[in-house]
Amino acid sequence: MTRKILVLPGDGIGPEITAQASRILAACQTQGLDVEIEEGLVGGAAYDEHGEPLPAVTLEKAKAADAILLGAVGGPKWDKLEDLTKRPEKGLLGLRKNLGLFANLRPAITYPQLASASSLKPELVAGLDIMIVRELTGGIYFGQPRGIEVRDGQRVGFNTYVYSESEIERIGRVAFELAQKRGKRLCSVDKANVLEVTILWREVMERLAPEYPDVELSHMYVDNAAMQLVRAPKQFDVMVTGNMFGDILSDAAAMLTGSIGMLPSASLNQSGQGMYEPCHGSAPDIAGRGIANPLATILSVAMMLRYSLSEFELAQRIEDAVGKVLDDGLRTADIASEGMRTVSTSEMGDAVLAAFEAA
Ligand code: NAD
């Protein structure tokens, strides 16, 4: 059956990096990947054309797609829009909400070739391969009631940290299943010594565990998890946590790898439909100069093949091709180091494509 992929380049460096990722997708098609690829507008580019960051036509295409590849959205051009609902970021949030993308997968992988770019000692991070599974549509970021109001003569701000058993269970299952396919170790991160909501979180994880007897489940308080991530990050395989803890821990883990230009991500819904994007933003400071690192976006294609299209072999070939170009000493400016060859966005795309085709 022909599956559908929607490519949404977005703003800033988005079009430059998705162009390189699209070349890899096209190469996969010639290797037998049966997909139909469409493009659409989102973010500031969509606002300029349609007056909306997520036009109805884009949302319809997104709903019909098996997977979406997104570049990045936003930039100074739209920062002054007074109507906040028209801001580029709303396009991204609208996609997440409308597609029910509740599971955010954030791998933190340090390629041995780039270990010296990390802020930690190379021996602590070389070969690091963690998958952080963050709940994306619930928790304190969305809980009601919320607001700022006057109480006893002063303003009080409040939010609600809430998770239902079913919300915890569905993210738990995603994490257990991922752990089964990787190192079979799952660390659930909570604050069960203080917060009732995470006492329930821990209970639900424990309840699921017997269904995944091959996975070793452990629990860690979030403060300790933050500490362990910078002390001995290689102890982790898969980590699962709620929205806010996941937001913070996944960014900390990203920095262990040295460059934000290398990190892909996936956001999945119940039916396996997913949106795939680099972890970084639209980098307006370097947009249009042909120097952006396209590897996070190319690696997002590999994640798409693995998690939405079950094309494991092609996914592995892309990841191996990226490893090969790094071995060959090619670097974009953000990961440049002495003795290595600094290349442009499209030269990096050329090299990955050649390595992919040669494999
Ligand atoms: P950013 O990630 O865009 O950039 C941070 C720094 O990293 C910049 O110096 C940039 O040049 C560099 N960088 C990022 N990606 C790179 C790449 N692929 N290659 C080389 N260097 C790269 O974050 P920011 O500057 O805080 O935000 C810029 C814009 O992006 C804002 O409008 C923000 O709202 C938006 N943003 C979008 C997303 C998204 O679309 N998912 C995420 C974060 C930020």
Side-chain angles (χ1 to χ4, degrees):
M1 195 183 73
T2 305
R3 288 162 296 178
K4 287 190 177 161
I5 296 174
L6 176 64
V7 179
L8 299 173
D11 310 316
I13 59 170
E16 300 166 52
I17 54 181
T18 49
Q20 300 310 317
S22 292
R23 293 171 71 198
I24 301 287
L25 261 178
C28 290
Q29 283 179 301
T30 66
Q31 303 284 322
L33 177 70
D34 185 11
V35 289
E36 202 180 288
I37 302 170
E38 265 197 297
E39 275 213 11
L41 292 173
V42 73
Y47 174 79
D48 288 349
E49 183 85 15
H50 297 279
E52 296 289 339
L54 180 58
V57 53
T58 300
L59 184 57
E60 281 319 302
K61 284 182 188 176
K63 284 181 175 166
D66 294 279
I68 300 160
L69 179 70
L70 182 111
V73 297
K77 182 176 174 194
W78 305 281
D79 280 349
K80 293 202 178 66
L81 282 177
E82 286 196 357
D83 182 350
L84 295 183
T85 66
K86 307 285 187 202
R87 292 265 177 103
E89 296 73 19
K90 292 289 174 196
L92 194 59
L93 296 177
L95 281 168
R96 285 183 185 161
K97 183 159 175 264
N98 279 286
L99 300 177
L101 303 171
F102 70 92
N104 188 215
L105 275 48
R106 292 268 307 255
I109 296 171
T110 308
Y111 286 86
Q113 304 91 326
L114 301 179
S116 60
S118 171
S119 47
L120 295 193
K121 296 187 196 97
E123 63 269 26
L124 287 182
V125 294
L128 179 80
D129 183 357
I130 307 177
M131 177 69 84
I132 298 187
V133 181
R134 167 188 170 195
E135 202 289 328
L136 201 57
T137 53
I140 196 165
Y141 290 175
F142 295 95
Q144 294 289 345
R146 60 191 295 157
I148 300 174
E149 62 185 30
V150 176
R151 294 181 194 166
D152 297 329
Q154 66 169 333
R155 292 199 309 154
V156 173
F158 54 97
N159 291 86
T160 303
Y161 191 176
V162 54
Y163 271 119
S164 65
E165 282 184 297
S166 58
E167 281 177 302
I168 303 169
E169 185 172 323
R170 67 178 184 176
I171 193 74
R173 288 195 183 285
V174 170
F176 272 107
E177 282 164 25
L178 270 169
Q180 280 184 319
K181 291 181 194 139
R182 295 173 39 107
K184 301 191 171 31
R185 285 180 298 117
L186 175 61
C187 178
S188 171
V189 176
D190 60 39
K191 190 71 184 168
N193 50 342
V194 179
L195 299 171
E196 283 78 0
V197 53
T198 68
I199 293 176
L200 180 68
W201 179 282
R202 193 178 277 219
E203 276 177 25
V204 173
M205 292 296 160
E206 282 292 334
R207 197 175 69 209
L208 291 176
E211 294 182 43
Y212 304 90
D214 51 336
V215 176
E216 182 196 316
L217 173 68
S218 61
H219 304 277
M220 197 177 274
Y221 296 139
V222 63
D223 42 344
N224 187 25
M227 202 161 71
Q228 295 301 328
L229 266 179
V230 291
R231 192 188 72 87
K234 282 194 255 182
Q235 70 185 280
F236 296 111
D237 176 22
V238 179
M239 301 174 90
V240 62
T241 191
N243 204 343
M244 181 169 63
F245 296 163
D247 190 5
I248 298 165
L249 293 180
S250 60
D251 268 16
M255 270 303 103
L256 301 178
T257 71
S259 171
I260 196 155
M262 295 296 300
L263 292 173
S265 77
S267 304
L268 307 176
N269 68 13
Q270 201 81 54
S271 58
Q273 188 189 25
M275 184 157 83
Y276 298 82
E277 53 181 318
C279 287
H280 57 73
S282 59
D285 53 333
I286 57 166
R289 291 170 51 196
I291 59 169
N293 186 346
L295 293 179
T297 318
I298 289 172
L299 291 166
S300 299
V301 171
M303 282 191 92
M304 172 193 286
L305 291 165
R306 183 166 280 128
Y307 296 116
S308 283
L309 305 178
S310 298
E311 297 280 353
F312 305 106
E313 217 180 295
L314 286 172
Q316 191 61 50
R317 270 180 67 185
I318 294 175
E319 287 161 357
D320 290 348
V322 169
K324 168 85 171 50
V325 299
L326 294 176
D327 277 342
D328 290 347
L330 271 66
R331 303 282 188 271
T332 42
D334 56 312
I335 51 173
S337 63
E338 228 177 280
M340 302 294 157
R341 197 178 129 219
T342 304
V343 295
S344 67
T345 309
S346 61
E347 284 169 331
M348 185 57 100
D350 293 344
V352 176
L353 197 59
F356 174 82
E357 283 170 346

